[in-house]
Amino acid sequence: MSAVSANSFITSKKLTLSDPNWVRYVLIGLTLGIIGLFLLLPLLTVLVEAFAKGWTAYSSSLTHPDALAAMRLTLFIALITVPLTTVFGVSAAWAIARFDFRGKSLLITLIDLPFSVSPVIAGLIYVLIFGAQGWLGPWFSEHDIKIIFAVPGIVLATLFVTFPFVARELIPLMQEIGHEEEEAALSLGASGWQTFFRVTLPNVKWGLLNGVLLCNARAMGEFGAVSVVSGHIRGLTNTLPLHVEVSYNEYDFVGSFAGASLLAALAVVTLVFKTVLEWKQNQDKKLKAKG
């Protein structure tokens, strides 16, 4: 078969295998319908219920002392866990992508563990370890150190569910980039820290920011693990998701949906920033390819 006839055969096959327009329209319609049913409709419901009694009731619910305490605690937990998770994620990604060592596969498995373990189970594990009847609980009680039903327990539970995000964003990115530029910097006399801040970090900055963004959203929105270890103490250990649950159980629907509207706004902002970061990352790749 000549080259011309072969090209004609391939072109005809492509035309034959192309889907008719109605298939495309049906798939697009199903996608939009699912998005509307499972994403847009719940968000709309949250907003409608939050403002069901007007702006005054909505603002009063958000300025209630318990709501303000829940917001402050949520931000405080995020300010602690996100930096720690970022440091761990960068260190783990650097070690996995750049070095071969015994136990590397085990480390990767442990990083993925929170994705396969229910957050409720994770919270229960901390209760069994640090609770009053747990393995280490009596020792902490003797030294008047509170872990469970206190802020430290919430921090530990949040760390467990958030620490894979940064590492999982950076590991494939560092493996794709390779280490030729880092070796060149080291050969020119740069120190390890100089190589990291001037070569490695600029190359992975978009992936790092994306991982931090997802980690922050998960830290602020975590419910299962935090619910187990918090004790639901008003004004002390109730994060914003727990405040939403408590308000709903007490039939304070405006207060519940007002708190939920903040969490929904956080989710929307996270999606917007994630889209922007992905666009910036693609633009950066195109500029490097042209250069």
Side-chain angles (χ1 to χ4, degrees), residues 66-255:
D66 290 342
L68 292 176
M71 295 178 201
R72 286 193 295 267
L73 180 59
T74 302
L75 291 174
F76 180 71
I77 297 300
L79 287 174
I80 294 177
T81 56
V82 172
L84 292 176
T85 302
T86 301
V87 172
F88 168 80
V90 172
S91 302
W94 178 286
I96 292 172
R98 296 292 182 263
F99 305 103
D100 290 324
F101 53 91
R102 184 177 300 176
K104 182 176 180 178
S105 299
L106 178 61
L107 178 58
I108 296 174
T109 302
L110 292 177
I111 290 175
D112 291 335
L113 186 63
F115 290 137
S116 58
V117 175
S118 169
V120 176
I121 301 301
L124 181 60
I125 291 172
Y126 285 113
V127 171
L128 294 175
I129 296 175
F130 299 106
Q133 306 300 323
W135 297 345
L136 303 178
W139 185 88
F140 282 105
S141 297
E142 290 176 2
H143 293 79
D144 196 24
I145 301 175
K146 293 183 179 180
I147 303 295
I148 302 301
F149 305 152
V151 173
I154 299 176
V155 172
L156 290 174
T158 307
L159 281 173
F160 180 86
V161 299
T162 57
F163 80 83
F165 285 96
V166 175
R168 264 300 161 199
E169 284 289 330
L170 292 182
I171 290 172
L173 183 58
M174 285 186 173
Q175 290 174 337
E176 178 185 356
I177 293 174
H179 49 78
E180 288 79 8
E181 294 183 15
E182 296 168 357
E183 291 178 348
L186 291 172
S187 65
L188 293 174
S191 65
W193 287 111
Q194 288 176 328
T195 302
F196 174 76
F197 284 108
R198 296 185 181 182
V199 178
T200 305
L201 196 58
N203 286 335
V204 301
K205 60 183 178 181
W206 301 120
L208 177 60
L209 290 174
N210 193 33
V212 170
L213 182 67
L214 294 176
C215 175
N216 180 71
R218 181 62 187 273
M220 288 190 174
E222 174 56 29
F223 177 83
V226 172
S227 179
V228 175
V229 302
S230 70
H232 296 270
I233 304 173
R234 290 178 178 273
L236 294 177
T237 63
N238 269 353
T239 58
L240 190 55
L242 300 185
H243 174 72
V244 170
E245 182 202 27
V246 170
S247 300
Y248 189 86
N249 290 338
E250 294 179 351
Y251 303 101
D252 180 13
F253 298 121
V254 173

